[in-house]
Amino acid sequence: SDLVYKLSQLDCGILITGENGTGKSFLAQAIRQAQPRRGPFVTVDCATISPTLFESEMFGYVGGAFTGANPQGKAGFFEAADGGTIFLDEIGEIPLQIQAKLLSVIQNKVVCRVGSTRSVPVDVRILAATNRDLRAEVAAGRFRQDLYYRLSAFSVELPPLRSCPEDVCFLIDRLMEKIPQKYGVPPRSLSGEAFGKLLAYNWPGNIRELDNVIKGAYATCDGFSIDMIDLPARLANLQKGAGPGAEGSKKLAELMDNYEREIIKSTLRATGGNCQQAAEELGIHRSALYKKMARLNIHRRKENVYE
């Protein structure tokens, strides 16, 4: 969006909020690509770091700082990101005692390694993301208020897919285009019914779930078109009229089914009713063609005439 682009150009810290799977990491990468600042891009998954290792991992340590420490010491994530950007994913998971040190780094632009008294200057842009309500965390005493205000001066909230079904169509198109390029598989299309189910589902797992479903459909599809049989049961069994935008999805699905029906009928007429040849022309297996003919109610009325 225009706001995100403007924020990317300001070289300021940004807090990205939203449910799991809404694309917070993707947005952080997009900001990194658009921003004038170059240098390293260091991603820190705060949810996976042991609380006892947070300080040494974030800010580094000197040799002999603790039992098992590397004798040569080690730079932390902030030193590694010097001159570039650090992305603190799931920042709501950072322990309280580390939050105070993080605030100091943001304010003073220096880090002090564990076991050392020497301050090391760092020039780092901070992008942070969380699926938690940090205001509620502040009220509960689990997140420092001063750190929250420092991080949230510029913020972007990513809405869940269920609140913006119009985005699902765009994302499906992007994924259908990206997956063949990334994995070297033949391009596929979506049947009208399958497309309608994708649009009608409420996507509790958001973009990540949609991505996994499309990838899975590509893996199981044995023909040119992804059909109902290639979708997970939770989508295939979705009742008609369920989910946001279902009415519009149903109409679009009907239009796509009509289009697919006409293509198949035209191909069958052109091949003289030879199903094997028609399937080859359409780029699908013969068994897949039979399934489509049954689903779309395509029957031969007389020699080489289909209805």
Side-chain angles (χ1 to χ4, degrees):
S1 71
D2 188 49
L3 171 63
V4 172
Y5 178 77
K6 287 178 179 177
L7 289 177
S8 74
Q9 303 302 299
L10 290 178
D11 202 38
C12 59
I14 301 175
L15 176 64
I16 306 168
T17 62
E19 293 180 5
N20 283 332
T22 49
K24 297 186 292 294
S25 297
F26 176 81
L27 179 57
Q29 287 282 357
I31 292 171
R32 179 252 184 129
Q33 294 293 332
Q35 69 184 4
R37 173 185 285 260
R38 290 297 172 240
F41 183 80
V42 176
T43 297
V44 182
D45 186 348
C46 300
T48 62
I49 303 175
S50 168
T52 58
L53 296 177
F54 249 107
E55 186 173 4
S56 59
E57 290 291 314
M58 290 286 244
F59 312 123
Y61 60 84
V62 296
F66 51 86
T67 303
N70 187 319
Q72 281 75 47
K74 180 184 176 183
F77 293 128
F78 272 86
E79 285 187 69
D82 187 31
T85 306
I86 189 167
F87 174 45
L88 301 176
D89 198 9
E90 300 303 345
I91 196 170
E93 306 295 330
I94 292 182
L96 269 173
Q97 66 271 22
I98 304 301
Q99 292 175 25
K101 296 180 182 293
L102 176 59
L103 179 63
S104 176
V105 170
I106 295 173
Q107 290 175 333
N108 302 319
K109 301 185 185 302
V110 296
V111 296
C112 186
R113 292 190 183 188
V114 175
S116 173
T117 57
R118 186 172 69 90
S119 295
V120 179
V122 287
D123 173 24
V124 175
R125 181 183 196 180
I126 297 177
L127 305 180
T130 182
N131 64 353
R132 295 193 178 195
D133 182 346
L134 289 189
R135 285 172 294 188
E137 294 294 297
V138 169
R142 291 187 293 265
F143 202 85
R144 292 181 62 103
Q145 187 177 57
D146 47 6
L147 178 58
Y148 168 68
Y149 286 132
R150 175 68 70 166
L151 292 169
S152 63
F154 298 96
S155 61
V156 178
E157 182 176 3
L158 298 179
L161 279 185
R162 63 181 174 274
S163 68
C164 43
E166 65 279 0
D167 288 347
V168 177
C169 185
F170 167 76
L171 290 168
I172 290 171
D173 286 344
R174 288 290 303 274
L175 291 169
M176 293 291 290
E177 179 182 347
K178 183 182 74 172
I179 289 173
Q181 296 172 352
K182 184 174 181 179
Y183 297 102
V185 295
R188 307 235 195 288
S189 62
L190 277 167
S191 73
E193 190 174 7
F195 190 65
K197 293 290 186 180
L198 292 176
L199 291 182
Y201 187 58
N202 67 2
W203 299 108
N206 296 299
I207 297 173
R208 187 178 299 137
E209 184 182 13
L210 175 60
D211 181 57
N212 288 339
V213 166
I214 298 294
K215 286 178 181 175
Y218 257 89
T220 58
C221 179
D222 61 357
F224 172 76
S225 177
I226 292 172
D227 215 331
M228 290 296 301
I229 195 173
D230 303 310
L231 298 180
R234 65 183 183 278
L235 273 76
N237 297 332
L238 192 66
Q239 295 298 312
K240 288 185 178 180
E247 189 60 37
S249 302
K250 182 179 177 182
K251 291 179 180 177
L252 182 58
E254 290 174 353
L255 289 173
M256 292 183 69
D257 277 348
N258 290 337
Y259 180 64
E260 189 175 16
R261 183 182 293 108
E262 291 306 313
I263 289 177
I264 292 175
K265 287 165 60 176
S266 174
T267 306
L268 285 168
R269 286 193 292 267
T271 58
N274 186 318
C275 288
Q276 178 62 43
Q277 187 178 346
E280 291 174 359
E281 290 286 333
L282 293 168
I284 60 177
H285 295 293
R286 187 171 60 179
S287 60
L289 176 60
Y290 289 148
K291 291 177 186 176
K292 289 179 178 296
M293 290 174 66
R295 179 177 64 80
L296 297 170
N297 200 26
I298 299 174
H299 304 288
R300 189 192 303 221
R301 188 176 64 185
K302 57 185 180 179
E303 188 64 27
N304 204 28
V305 175
Y306 289 84
E307 61 176 12

